[in-house]
Amino acid sequence: MLSKKTKYGIKALTYLAKQETGVPVSIATISEMENISLKFLESILLTLRKSGLLGSKKGKAGGYYLLKDPKDVKMTTVMRVLEGPIAMVSCVSLNYYEKCADCPDETACAVHHLMIRVRDSNLKIYGETSLADLISY
Amino acid sequence: MLSKKTKYGIKALTYLAKQETGVPVSIATISEMENISLKFLESILLTLRKSGLLGSKKGKAGGYYLLKDPKDVKMTTVMRVLEGPIAMVSCVSLNYYEKCADCPDETACAVHHLMIRVRDSNLKIYGETSLADLISY
DNA sequence: TATTACCCTACTAAATCTATAGGAGTAAAG
DNA sequence: CTTTACTCCTATAGATTTAGTAGGGTAATA
C-alpha cells in the first residue's frame, strides 16, 4: 500500500505544478485545498524541499514552489523521495541493493525473478510519467 | 516493500511445486530448505491452506501439498492471499474498492490515475505468471 | 516591531509486521 | 495401545513503521 505521506506529497506537488511558476504557496493553502493535516503536510513539504524538488520562501507571502518545470519532474524521483526504493525487495533494488539473508542463491530465487519484472514495469511507468502528465486530466 | 510473509509464502509454494504432486511435505522440511522460521512458516502455510491453495495431511508422514497443477496457480491469487490487494491505493482496487476520505473527485485525482496504471501493469505481470513459470529457472 | 510563514526536533498513539509459545488433535508405526 | 511425528489453532509480545501532534525557533516583510 502507498503511504499517506506519498499520497499527500504527490497531491501537494501536483497542486504546486498547477500554479504560476515561482509563486510561493503557503502550507495552509495546500492543506485546505487538498484536505491534508497541516502539520503532517509541513513535514512532507520539508522533505520535498530537502530532496531538491521544492524551493521555499520564508516570511510574509512565503511558501513553497516547484524548482523545475513540471514536465521535468519524473515520478521515479518523486516516488523514491517519498516512498523509498521502487523495488519491492532489496535484492532487486537498483539504488539500495542488499542481499537477502535467507537466500543462498539469488539467481535460483523465484521471488527475485518475479520482483525484477515488477520493478522494471513500475520503473517504466514512473519513468515515463511526469508531474505535467499528472495534471493534464 | 514485500512483507516477509509473502516472500516466505512464495518460496514455500515454489518448493512444493517442485515436488511430486500430492506428496505431503512437512513444515519442518520446508523451513530447513528455505531458511524460514518454523513457527512463522506454520502460520503462513495455514493461511495458504485456508485460502484453498494448499491441502494438508495430518499425523505421521503428513504435511502440505499443492492442490492444483503449478501452471494453474497464478501469482495474482498468491499475491492477493498473502500480501492483500494488488492496488496501492484502495480507490483503484478491483476487489477491495474504497473511496478516499480526502478526495472529493476521483477522476481529478493525480494519484488515482497514476496508481491505475501501476495496478494494471502489475496485474498483467501477476496474471501471466504462474508457479510453474517461477520454478523454471 | 508585529505579523506571517517556514524550520526543526521531539514525541506519541495506533497499526502492522514478525515472529514465538504452548497445547490440542490426528494418523501411522512399532 | 502407546509412542512418535506431524498438523491445527489461539494468543501474545517485541519491534518497527505510520500518521500524525506539539511547540518553540528563525527569517522575511510591511
Side-chain angles (χ1 to χ4, degrees):
Chain A
M1 282 281 162
L2 201 72
S3 69
K4 301 228 170 183
K5 181 182 171 188
T6 303
K7 187 184 175 190
Y8 294 161
I10 294 175
K11 285 194 169 196
L13 285 170
T14 52
Y15 185 84
L16 290 174
K18 285 181 202 158
Q19 311 308 309
E20 253 184 288
T21 47
V23 179
V25 181
S26 77
I27 304 177
T29 303
I30 305 176
S31 161
E32 267 177 56
M33 299 301 291
E34 300 290 341
N35 301 302
I36 305 169
S37 141
L38 187 103
K39 289 301 252 175
F40 192 23
L41 179 60
E42 188 181 326
S43 74
I44 296 168
L45 293 175
L46 205 59
T47 64
L48 287 171
R49 181 182 62 80
K50 284 183 178 167
S51 79
L53 284 171
L54 295 181
S56 65
K57 195 188 168 210
K58 288 184 188 172
K60 204 162 187 176
Y64 286 95
Y65 51 91
L66 269 183
L67 283 175
K68 298 180 194 171
D69 193 294
K71 73 172 186 299
D72 295 329
V73 180
K74 283 200 287 188
M75 292 313 291
T76 341
T77 313
V78 175
M79 290 299 290
R80 287 209 176 103
V81 168
L82 292 169
E83 191 76 3
I86 284 156
M88 292 187 78
V89 282
S90 48
C91 72
V92 301
S93 174
L94 297 175
N95 295 279
Y96 306 87
Y97 174 83
E98 239 175 281
K99 196 179 176 311
C100 297
D102 56 296
C103 210
D105 179 13
E106 254 172 34
T107 63
C109 176
V111 179
H112 185 80
H113 286 283
L114 179 63
M115 289 306 144
I116 281 181
R117 296 187 57 195
V118 173
R119 178 202 67 191
D120 286 342
S121 103
N122 287 348
L123 270 182
K124 182 166 186 299
I125 292 175
Y126 295 139
E128 65 194 20
T129 308
S130 69
L131 272 188
D133 297 318
L134 289 188
I135 60 174
S136 65
Y137 292 107
Chain B
M1 281 282 160
L2 203 72
S3 68
K4 301 226 170 185
K5 181 182 173 189
T6 303
K7 188 185 175 191
Y8 293 160
I10 294 175
K11 284 194 169 196
L13 285 170
T14 52
Y15 185 83
L16 290 174
K18 285 181 204 159
Q19 312 308 310
E20 251 184 290
T21 46
V23 179
V25 181
S26 76
I27 305 176
T29 304
I30 305 175
S31 161
E32 266 177 55
M33 298 302 290
E34 300 291 340
N35 301 302
I36 305 170
S37 143
L38 187 102
K39 287 303 249 175
F40 192 22
L41 179 61
E42 188 182 324
S43 72
I44 296 168
L45 293 174
L46 206 59
T47 66
L48 286 171
R49 180 182 62 80
K50 286 184 178 166
S51 79
L53 284 170
L54 295 181
S56 65
K57 193 187 169 214
K58 288 184 188 172
K60 205 162 188 176
Y64 287 93
Y65 51 92
L66 267 184
L67 283 175
K68 298 180 194 170
D69 193 294
K71 73 172 185 300
D72 295 327
V73 181
K74 283 201 286 188
M75 293 312 292
T76 339
T77 313
V78 175
M79 290 299 289
R80 286 208 176 102
V81 167
L82 292 168
E83 190 76 3
I86 283 156
M88 293 186 78
V89 282
S90 47
C91 71
V92 301
S93 174
L94 297 176
N95 296 278
Y96 306 88
Y97 173 84
E98 241 176 280
K99 195 180 178 308
C100 297
D102 57 296
C103 211
D105 179 15
E106 255 172 32
T107 63
C109 177
V111 179
H112 185 80
H113 286 284
L114 178 64
M115 288 306 145
I116 280 181
R117 297 186 57 196
V118 172
R119 178 203 66 192
D120 287 343
S121 104
N122 288 348
L123 270 181
K124 183 167 186 297
I125 292 175
Y126 294 138
E128 65 193 22
T129 308
S130 71
L131 272 188
D133 297 318
L134 288 189
I135 62 174
S136 65
Y137 291 108

